[in-house]
Amino acid sequence: GDVGRVLLDPPGSRVRKDPAYSVLLGVLSALILLLPGAARGQDTHLLVIAGVSGDEAHVKQFHGWASSVVDGAKKHGLADANITYLAERIELDPARIDGRSSRDVVSKTLTDLAARTKPNDEIFVLLIGHGSFDGKTAAFNLPGPDLTAQDYAGLLGKFGAQRIVFVNTASSSGAFVEALRGPGRTIVAATRTGGERNETRFPGPFIEALEAETADRDRNGRTSVFEAFEYAKQKVAASYEQGGHILTEHATLDDGAEGKLASTQFLAPPRSRSAEMANASPELKAALAERDGLERKVEDLRLKKDALASEAYEQELERLLTELALKTRAVRELEAKK
């Protein structure tokens, strides 16, 4: 959205009158919608934690949601080795569940993950279950002792340069945001505060959004965390309104960049270059690498927008998008020759 406005109607009345230039800017504005977003990440790792259920109905519901996320991630190309699903009852689905979601197992899983992941890997943690808040401390309820927001803050502190998405879909999850926020992190909570203690409706629509085409607003074939959040937030509000009820949960997203970071984070891994590279000529391989590099530069620039002067941002964005358009055309020409 900001790209289109910058290109087609930049501030300071710098709009050029040349029709050919206007056409080019229109093409560049459309091109930004094709960017993969998370190209920077080397690998994506998913950890799904289904907490204590309380009754059989919630056991089935939590497992259904968790299974949907796990199966969807596999369908989109996430390797089995990069997916961990912890649940209250392993016997419920031993072929899919990797361990019990106890305090010790969750802590060890995150500690081991921090030790083996590479810088710039994407870490996606999803909590499904019930939460609690006593006025001072917020916790996600697990079989046995719970893990508090401060406990998770300590566990996330073990990660270095990895980019993290932490989604807590439980009640009272809003109290996690302040404790967990930090550079390179997107924190999503189903509630605005710890005081919103009612069972949340957020997890269903959020998980649905990861697979729903209607949630993929920019039509790039993958739903970003920001897109999933907006989709779920609207669905929840609509469900309360339709039932004639007062909205008792207010979902929150904090990435330190007004959604810009979350717009570049995905559960689905970055598009694979293996098919393109398999039989590519050295010239085409070089062009593909240059194209990927330009895409990353555009992504980095968008994240730095608020720290740059408006005119400097617009000029650099225009330069990068022009280079990207030309390089994309060169790639297509080389592919056509092949």
Side-chain angles (χ1 to χ4, degrees):
D2 62 324
V3 174
R5 287 191 293 275
V6 167
L7 290 175
L8 299 178
D9 188 18
S13 300
R14 296 197 303 112
V15 179
R16 305 182 190 180
K17 304 301 181 182
D18 186 348
Y21 180 77
S22 298
V23 171
L24 174 60
L25 293 187
V27 171
L28 295 177
S29 180
L31 179 62
I32 193 66
L33 299 180
L34 302 178
L35 295 181
R40 207 167 18 183
Q42 296 177 358
D43 283 307
T44 301
H45 302 264
L46 170 65
L47 171 59
V48 179
I49 304 170
V52 66
S53 55
D55 57 50
E56 289 301 318
H58 284 91
V59 168
K60 294 178 181 179
Q61 185 177 59
F62 294 169
H63 179 59
W65 283 334
S67 298
S68 176
V69 175
V70 169
D71 293 344
K74 291 180 179 180
K75 184 181 75 174
H76 287 292
L78 203 61
D80 286 355
N82 289 3
I83 300 173
T84 303
Y85 170 24
L86 305 179
E88 180 182 16
R89 300 182 190 174
I90 301 175
E91 66 276 10
L92 187 66
D93 192 349
R96 187 185 274 118
I97 298 173
D98 299 293
R100 194 163 189 257
S101 56
S102 66
R103 176 189 178 97
D104 289 345
V105 174
V106 171
S107 299
K108 184 177 187 305
T109 299
L110 282 167
T111 300
D112 292 346
L113 188 60
R116 76 171 189 268
T117 50
K118 303 181 293 296
N120 294 329
D121 275 4
E122 301 277 351
I123 313 300
F124 197 115
V125 181
L126 175 64
L127 274 53
I128 300 171
H130 301 298
S132 60
F133 181 65
D134 63 5
K136 293 182 179 180
T137 302
F140 178 72
N141 302 151
L142 299 173
D146 298 333
L147 280 171
T148 67
Q150 287 69 32
D151 291 330
Y152 281 105
L155 291 167
L156 294 190
K158 297 176 182 292
F159 293 88
Q162 295 88 350
R163 299 204 309 175
I164 296 174
V165 177
F166 188 97
V167 182
N168 186 347
T169 65
S171 53
S172 299
S173 52
F176 275 63
V177 177
E178 179 65 31
L180 301 186
R181 64 162 53 106
R185 295 182 186 176
T186 292
I187 310 301
V188 174
T191 72
R192 183 165 52 202
T193 68
E196 293 184 339
R197 296 184 174 91
N198 291 341
E199 184 172 351
T200 59
R201 303 183 187 184
F202 183 80
F206 182 83
I207 291 167
E208 173 188 322
L210 297 175
E211 290 294 312
E213 292 184 5
T214 52
D216 179 18
R217 293 182 177 180
D218 61 11
R219 298 296 183 265
N220 69 345
R222 297 194 300 165
T223 301
S224 70
V225 174
F226 184 76
E227 288 171 328
F229 170 79
E230 288 293 311
Y231 177 92
K233 187 176 180 180
Q234 291 175 11
K235 283 275 192 178
V236 168
S239 72
Y240 276 87
E241 183 178 352
Q242 290 168 3
H245 302 136
I246 297 175
L247 187 64
T248 60
E249 61 182 276
H250 302 80
T252 303
L253 183 150
D254 187 304
D255 67 352
E258 298 181 348
K260 296 183 181 68
L261 174 60
S263 295
T264 71
Q265 294 175 301
F266 304 82
L267 174 58
R271 64 185 182 187
S272 173
R273 296 294 188 222
S274 57
E276 292 178 295
M277 292 291 195
N279 299 308
S281 66
E283 187 179 9
L284 177 55
K285 288 181 180 179
L288 287 168
E290 290 171 7
R291 182 187 67 182
D292 291 350
L294 287 167
E295 289 177 345
R296 288 192 294 271
K297 288 182 179 179
V298 170
E299 178 187 322
D300 289 338
L301 180 64
R302 293 182 69 189
L303 293 176
K304 297 175 183 175
K305 179 182 178 181
D306 293 341
L308 299 173
S310 177
E311 186 172 352
Y313 171 77
E314 294 159 16
Q315 290 176 348
E316 181 63 7
L317 179 62
E318 181 180 310
R319 183 186 70 80
L320 288 173
L321 288 176
T322 300
E323 289 186 19
L324 180 54
L326 294 173
K327 185 57 62 177
T328 299
R329 184 175 68 181
V331 166
R332 290 175 179 169
E333 290 174 350
L334 289 169
E335 289 175 333
K337 288 181 181 179
K338 175 177 178 298

